[in-house]
């Protein structure tokens, strides 16, 4: 694997160009046959590498691929993303972490990122379509916090992602409570938290984040395509996944430590400024129950306050629809 990384790093450094097998072999101190074998292994792992006789090898689709060493080098976080692992295809990045936890082989802050998820999940058990071109990743946290405080991380990370994505688009990002990120009325990102522990403290929380970065037309189902969009829809060209990933990880860590050190009250006003429906009429579905009214506020525990006309309803869970 070490030689894989060295060859991948060299191809990444010369992305968009070809480098001959003989030059790769000389720089790595191995034979050309060994180079060919490592290139073959990298292709099987999911990297799109062109090989042309007389020209050598070139890394293609550089906007979408993820190079873990490049992410770690550029992010320089102390916790979230200090280790990054890339998989071309998984069932879901959350499930990868769960399996690794069973074997006690997973460290806090390690990020699992996939090129494609076969069984991506969203809130309320919904399917999350995760084709090539997006960012699908999860990481593990072990905060010493009661479970009600853990739930607030959903809002904290939504704000962190929204702030990061605004660096790449010319339109404002908004949050549909609790953690869906919208641009121009279309969903571009979402967050799923799964935790384990008792009421007084969580043993761990798995944070899954999905971002539609460069998802082409037709990549999403007709149903999801009506309400979803890609970041690239709001740019003149495809975005580089590495640039987006680095910025998001930096923002997520910054807001995480701000929350742990100062609490949600110091983030609340900023979250309100990004809330898509604050001050507007909404409907909130809670199982068979429907609450309708004006979303007049969000309290310091992250609940929606909805004026139904007769009283103020406090909403801690549910699916929000804007009227």
């Amino acid at each position: 694997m070490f030689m894989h990384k060295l060859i991948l790093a060299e191809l990444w450094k010369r992305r968009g160009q070809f480098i001959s097998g003989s030059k790769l072999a000389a720089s790595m101190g191995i034979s050309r046959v060994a180079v060919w074998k490592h290139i073959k292994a990298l292709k099987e792992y999911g990297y799109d590498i062109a090989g042309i006789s007389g020209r050598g090898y070139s890394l293609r689709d550089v906007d979408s691929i993820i190079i873990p060493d490049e992410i770690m080098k550029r992010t320089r976080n102390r916790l979230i993303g200090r280790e990054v692992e890339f998989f071309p295809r998984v069932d879901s990045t959350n499930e990868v972490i769960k399996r690794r936890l069973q074997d006690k082989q997973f460290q806090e802050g390690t990020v699992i990122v996939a090129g494609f998820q076969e069984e991506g999940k969203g809130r309320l058990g919904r399917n999350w379509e995760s084709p090539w071109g997006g960012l699908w990743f999860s990481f593990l946290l072990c905060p010493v916090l009661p479970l009600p405080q853990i739930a607030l991380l959903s809002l904290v990370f939504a704000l962190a992602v929204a702030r990061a994505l605004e660096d790449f688009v010319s339109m404002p990002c908004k949050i549909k409570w609790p953690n869906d990120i919208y641009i121009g009325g279309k969903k571009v990102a979402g967050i799923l938290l799964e935790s384990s522990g008792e009421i007084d403290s969580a043993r761990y929380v798995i944070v899954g984040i999905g971002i539609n970065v460069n998802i082409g037309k037709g990549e999403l189902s007709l149903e999801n395509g009506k309400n979803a969009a890609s970041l690239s829809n709001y740019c003149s060209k495809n975005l580089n996944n590495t640039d987006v990933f680095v910025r998001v990880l930096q923002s997520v860590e910054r807001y995480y430590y701000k929350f742990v050190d100062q609490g949600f009250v110091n983030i609340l006003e900023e979250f309100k400024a990004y809330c898509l429906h604050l001050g507007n009429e909404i409907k909130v579905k809670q199982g068979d129950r429907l609450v309708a009214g004006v979303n007049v506020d969000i309290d310091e525990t992250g609940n929606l306050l909805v004026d139904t006309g007769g009283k103020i309803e406090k909403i801690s869970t549910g699916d929000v629809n804007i009227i």
Side-chain angles (χ1 to χ4, degrees):
M1 286 299 294
F2 177 70
M3 189 57 66
H4 288 8
K5 290 183 178 181
L6 290 181
I7 292 174
L8 191 57
E10 189 66 24
L11 292 172
W12 173 258
K13 187 170 68 174
R14 297 171 180 259
R15 55 195 179 275
Q17 306 172 24
F18 280 86
I19 179 172
S20 69
S22 58
K23 285 186 178 180
L24 275 173
S27 64
M28 303 295 159
I30 58 178
S31 69
R32 290 182 62 182
V33 173
V35 167
W36 177 82
K37 289 181 178 179
H38 287 298
I39 293 289
K40 183 174 181 289
L42 287 169
K43 287 181 178 181
E44 291 172 351
Y45 201 63
Y47 290 104
D48 188 0
I49 301 172
I52 298 179
S53 178
R55 299 187 67 187
Y57 303 102
S58 178
L59 192 60
R60 298 190 296 195
D61 194 21
V62 294
D63 285 335
S64 296
I65 65 171
I66 293 297
I67 312 291
D69 286 350
E70 184 71 15
I71 300 298
M72 292 183 284
K73 180 177 69 176
R74 289 179 54 184
T75 304
R76 297 184 178 180
N77 282 354
R78 59 173 167 155
L79 178 62
I80 302 172
R82 61 183 176 182
E83 293 290 335
V84 177
E85 298 181 29
F86 171 74
F87 296 89
R89 183 182 291 263
V90 297
D91 48 359
S92 106
T93 53
N94 273 32
E95 292 302 317
V96 171
I97 293 179
K98 289 178 187 177
R99 288 193 291 271
R100 296 274 287 276
L101 282 171
Q102 291 179 349
D103 298 331
K104 299 180 179 179
Q105 294 178 346
F106 205 77
Q107 291 188 337
E108 183 181 18
T110 298
V111 175
I112 300 294
V113 56
F116 185 98
Q117 287 189 124
E118 296 174 339
E119 300 174 18
K121 296 184 296 182
R123 288 184 64 243
L124 306 176
R126 295 192 179 105
N127 175 51
W128 181 278
E129 294 181 23
S130 315
W132 291 96
L135 276 174
W136 327 116
F137 64 98
S138 302
F139 53 89
L140 178 78
L141 295 174
C142 303
V144 185
L145 294 169
L147 286 180
Q149 290 290 305
I150 292 293
L152 285 170
L153 284 173
S154 186
L155 283 69
V156 173
F157 290 142
L159 178 58
V161 172
R163 288 295 305 270
L165 297 187
E166 282 191 328
D167 289 348
F168 300 94
V169 295
S170 57
M171 296 177 66
C173 292
K174 291 293 184 178
I175 300 168
K176 183 166 81 75
W177 182 92
N179 54 22
D180 287 337
I181 292 86
Y182 278 66
I183 302 176
K186 298 278 189 176
K187 183 175 176 179
V188 297
I191 298 166
L192 174 67
L193 263 60
E194 297 185 276
S195 60
S196 172
E198 303 299 330
I199 191 65
D200 57 339
S201 65
R203 192 160 57 91
Y204 65 77
V205 58
I206 299 172
V207 182
I209 298 177
I211 305 171
N212 298 335
V213 182
N214 298 311
I215 308 299
K217 290 182 179 180
E219 291 294 321
L220 299 176
S221 67
L222 183 61
E223 181 181 357
N224 287 333
K226 290 179 182 178
N227 302 312
S230 179
L231 287 180
S232 59
N233 295 151
Y234 305 99
C235 307
S236 59
K237 61 179 181 179
N238 273 6
L239 294 168
N240 185 283
N241 268 6
T242 294
D243 293 340
V244 177
F245 198 19
V246 167
R247 182 67 191 92
V248 168
L249 288 179
Q250 290 172 334
S251 185
V252 162
E253 171 144 307
R254 181 165 69 88
Y255 276 92
Y256 175 63
Y257 280 114
K258 185 175 182 179
F259 170 69
V260 170
D261 295 339
Q262 302 174 21
F264 185 66
V265 68
N266 288 291
I267 300 173
L268 177 57
E269 292 305 316
E270 193 176 0
F271 183 90
K272 288 182 184 180
Y274 275 80
C275 184
L276 180 63
H277 43 76
L278 189 59
N280 296 310
E281 285 189 76
I282 62 172
K283 290 182 179 179
V284 185
K285 188 176 181 181
Q286 298 179 306
D288 295 331
R289 182 172 181 257
L290 189 67
V291 178
V294 177
N295 179 199
V296 293
D297 205 357
I298 299 170
D299 68 19
E300 61 185 25
T301 58
N303 295 317
L304 293 183
L305 301 185
V306 179
D307 185 348
T308 62
K311 63 177 181 177
I312 302 295
E313 288 268 3
K314 185 180 291 189
I315 305 295
S316 60
T317 61
D319 191 22
V320 174
N321 286 292
I322 304 164
I323 302 175

